[in-house]
Amino acid sequence: MTSTSEQPLMVARTADTGEANPYLLGVYAPVGTEIDAEDLQVIGEIPKDLNGVYLRNGPNPRFAPEGRYHWFDGDGMIHAVHLENGRARYRNRWVRTKAFEAESAAGKALWTGVMENPKDNPFGNSHGLGLKDNANTDVVFHRGRILATWYLCGSPYAVDPLSLETLGAEDFLGTLAGDMMAHPKVDETTGELFWFDYGPRPPYLRYGVISADGTVVTTTDVELPGPRLPHDMAITEHYAVLMDLPLVQDLEAAEQGRHKLHFDRAMPSRFGVLPRYGNGSQIRWFEASPCYIYHVVNAWEEGDEVVLDVCRVQKPQPRADAHTPLAKMLSYLRLDAQLHRYRFDLRTGACHEAPLDDDNTEFPTVDARGVGRRNRYSYAVHISPESTLKFDGLVRHDNLAGTKTEYRFGPGRWGSEAPFAPREGAPVESADGYLVTFVQDEREGRSELDIFDAADLAAGPVARVLLPQRVPLGFHATWVRADQLENLRS
């Protein structure tokens, strides 16, 4: 095992109130070492037909934060476990963003976070948002590279999926002008990548397509009434689905240089259905009840309808009894999301919506090979009632049978997003595969990679890979299959 020690010194209390910040403590506390470890200990047996790499991104500040720390502020760090022929190895690396390199050279934090005025920050994204673009949110595999993205729209950073070396800000052979949102969509059938870019000044939203050869082939402005904060999108075989949701920037706070959100219940939620290669004038808007949507499950076409499944948040703002900045952050991060379906009738213009489940679930995944096509199965993490955001279990939904299967990790055990990893040779859109997730045991201070049979989730993990260091709780994950890695090697 090799390691590089960069242990950060963290201040876990806010300077103004002295409140302890839980997102710098315990299961969230950053790790300060980048390590490589081979032949990890396994409880059970890693399936021989599960070969590939599980990667998960998340916030991990290298230096003590300037000002009040928000969980979204930490430097991106990717943790990865590579499974091959029943053996496992682990590696973790910070994403070397421009801001990370600047702070490394200075030997200290140079940026304040989303809870502070960014006016003195060195630089921000291409829209002039002065916050630190830290690439800590998602990990998306496209054309042999991982794209590490940022939740408020920034530069997608290319990362080697095996070495985790940061290859630099990805500009797609010089054709990407501007930024990319946190959750671009890959169509594995065509090899294309779909994305949008948004900001506080017109044009408020810009949509684009990157071809299988890695260049931007389509961009178009999408007209909106004002600045919005979209987070995700969907694709179908012929369309892209964009969102105009009533979670908006507080203009008074913006004038004072602060990043503050306001949920306007007087506004409807709007969904724009746009031909994949169309221009903004071709978009068709459908109105629905007010909500916010962080994450899309999937979308597909049924005759004249576009069907969209999401995790729908009804109250995306701090509770009224949250009075201090830290309390507001804590309550804002306590997601309350339910599986919800929209149907957009392209013939009549009607929109129909209905809940599919009342459980609090988020960070959904489907078989990545079938994104944009009708899926039978989807998977999500179950959100615990704790005061901070923690995932206490996994849920599988069966669209055909209308049923769900659940598994809980157990007391003091918290998971990560669990992508579906198909069994080698398994057909698309079956449950013939596995779910893979990091689990952190709070009581033992230990992390592991748990592997579940997706068809028998309730039975618990078929294998537990013990990790050589703790993996802090974080954000999004992906599974890169062995066949994708072979293409990379060739």
Side-chain angles (χ1 to χ4, degrees), residues 227-229 245-250 260-264 267:
R228 298 293 189 262
L229 294 160
L245 304 173
L247 185 67
V248 299
Q249 171 76 9
D250 186 301
K260 182 180 178 183
L261 307 181
H262 170 62
F263 184 55
D264 189 347
M267 294 171 55

Side-chain angles (χ1 to χ4, degrees), residues 384-396:
S384 82
E386 298 274 322
S387 60
T388 55
L389 183 60
K390 294 177 179 177
F391 305 148
D392 62 8
L394 301 175
V395 180
R396 186 192 77 189

Side-chain angles (χ1 to χ4, degrees), residues 396-439:
R396 186 192 77 189
H397 288 96
D398 184 332
N399 277 330
L400 182 62
T403 59
K404 68 179 179 182
T405 305
E406 301 181 77
Y407 176 82
R408 295 292 186 268
F409 299 122
R413 290 171 59 84
W414 315 109
S416 291
E417 182 174 76
F420 176 77
R423 191 188 310 272
E424 290 185 342
V428 178
E429 222 3 75
S430 71
D432 191 9
Y434 306 93
L435 296 183
V436 188
T437 181
F438 285 137
V439 173

Side-chain angles (χ1 to χ4, degrees), residues 113-349:
V114 300
M115 298 176 72
E116 303 288 353
N117 190 321
K119 66 181 180 66
D120 294 325
N121 285 343
F123 56 83
N125 67 1
S126 70
H127 291 283
L129 182 65
L131 299 174
K132 183 180 181 181
D133 178 354
N134 49 38
N136 71 7
T137 306
D138 204 356
V139 274
V140 178
F141 183 80
H142 182 241
R143 298 189 70 251
R145 296 180 170 190
I146 290 295
L147 299 178
T149 58
W150 183 47
Y151 82 106
L152 278 176
C153 215
S155 297
Y157 277 85
V159 176
D160 184 287
L162 291 176
S163 70
L164 301 189
E165 175 190 358
T166 301
L167 305 175
E170 178 62 79
D171 64 2
F172 298 96
L173 302 176
T175 62
L176 178 66
D179 294 320
M180 181 179 287
M181 88 300 196
H183 301 299
K185 299 299 178 191
V186 176
D187 184 340
E188 288 201 20
T189 301
T190 66
E192 295 167 309
L193 181 77
F194 300 81
W195 57 279
F196 64 78
D197 182 12
Y198 66 95
R201 292 180 294 275
Y204 298 121
L205 185 65
R206 191 166 58 103
Y207 161 76
V209 182
I210 295 166
S211 68
D213 68 7
T215 59
V216 176
V217 293
T218 296
T219 58
T220 185
D221 295 344
V222 177
E223 185 176 344
L224 293 178
R228 298 293 189 262
L229 294 160
H231 192 68
D232 203 351
M233 64 174 289
I235 58 171
T236 69
E237 188 174 357
H238 299 101
Y239 300 99
V241 183
L242 305 173
M243 306 182 203
D244 173 14
L245 304 173
L247 185 67
V248 299
Q249 171 76 9
D250 186 301
L251 295 181
E252 181 179 344
E255 290 174 358
Q256 300 170 7
R258 294 184 294 115
H259 179 67
K260 182 180 178 183
L261 307 181
H262 170 62
F263 184 55
D264 189 347
R265 291 192 173 276
M267 294 171 55
S269 295
R270 298 200 308 156
F271 300 85
V273 179
L274 176 69
R276 275 192 173 197
Y277 314 107
N279 61 62
S281 65
Q282 295 175 280
I283 198 166
R284 296 188 61 184
W285 290 104
F286 297 81
E287 292 192 356
S289 57
C291 71
Y292 190 71
I293 294 164
Y294 285 103
H295 302 120
V296 164
V297 180
N298 196 20
W300 63 90
E301 299 164 29
E302 290 184 10
D304 292 322
E305 288 188 324
V306 169
V307 183
L308 174 69
D309 284 357
V310 303
C311 295
R312 180 178 181 268
V313 180
Q314 298 187 63
K315 299 176 181 179
Q317 63 183 15
R319 298 192 314 267
D321 60 349
H323 300 299
T324 69
L326 181 60
K328 290 178 180 178
M329 179 189 76
L330 294 178
S331 66
Y332 177 74
L333 288 171
R334 287 185 64 188
L335 295 181
D336 186 8
Q338 288 78 38
L339 187 61
H340 202 79
R341 176 168 293 171
Y342 298 91
R343 289 183 174 271
F344 311 119
D345 193 319
L346 300 177
R347 182 176 55 86
T348 66

